[in-house]
Amino acid sequence: LTIRLCSISSGINAEYGGTKAYCEEAQNAIRKHKQSIAQLESEEAELLKELNLARSNQNKLKDKGTVDKLKQLKDREEEAQTKIEEEKEKIKSFDHQIKKMEKAKRDLQSAGGRV
């Protein structure tokens, strides 16, 4: 009977020890999950704050001002490009006129006239 009682007692202790270890493991896992949840909630709050800041009227106005300025700069660039092309055409025209005048001068010189 004593041997049987010791056997039952050790079985209960082994079972209790296993249950206790399981409970500790479960509690540790729950604690870690709670920490993860708290961290994620903190990150979510920070992201929401940043999102609201980005959506604020002041930032929208600032962005609109930047977009307007960029549009103006683009328009000025296009105007400058147009003027550059016009000037290139004028230079071509002047070069053509100069060549015509030089040819006329050579023709006059070869015909015996002096310029």
Side-chain angles (χ1 to χ4, degrees):
L1 184 62
T2 306
I3 294 174
R4 179 142 170 98
L5 187 57
C6 283
S7 172
I8 292 173
S9 176
S10 67
I12 290 173
N13 284 337
E15 193 174 308
Y16 175 72
T19 303
K20 184 177 178 183
Y22 174 77
C23 284
E24 286 176 5
E25 262 186 60
Q27 286 176 345
N28 286 336
I30 290 170
R31 197 173 309 117
K32 286 181 182 179
H33 288 304
K34 284 182 178 180
Q35 288 173 346
S36 295
I37 289 169
Q39 178 66 30
L40 290 171
E41 286 173 341
S42 174
E43 289 175 15
E44 179 188 29
E46 185 65 29
L47 289 171
L48 286 173
K49 186 167 57 170
E50 289 178 21
L51 181 61
N52 287 333
L53 180 63
R55 289 180 176 167
S56 74
N57 285 335
Q58 184 179 7
N59 278 341
K60 285 181 182 179
L61 289 174
K62 190 175 179 181
D63 289 346
K64 184 182 180 324
T66 302
V67 168
D68 290 344
K69 188 173 183 176
L70 286 172
K71 284 180 182 178
Q72 289 173 356
L73 289 172
K74 181 66 178 164
D75 290 343
R76 287 176 56 194
E77 178 191 28
E78 289 174 0
E79 289 173 11
Q81 286 295 335
T82 300
K83 287 181 181 180
I84 289 170
E85 291 303 317
E86 289 172 356
E87 291 301 316
K88 284 182 179 179
E89 288 300 317
K90 286 180 184 177
I91 290 170
K92 272 185 179 178
S93 176
F94 287 139
D95 284 344
H96 182 70
Q97 288 178 5
I98 289 170
K99 286 180 183 177
K100 279 175 68 174
M101 291 178 148
E102 288 174 345
K103 183 182 182 309
K105 178 180 172 185
R106 281 192 310 272
D107 288 347
L108 281 176
Q109 286 176 345
S110 66
R114 279 181 77 178
V115 176

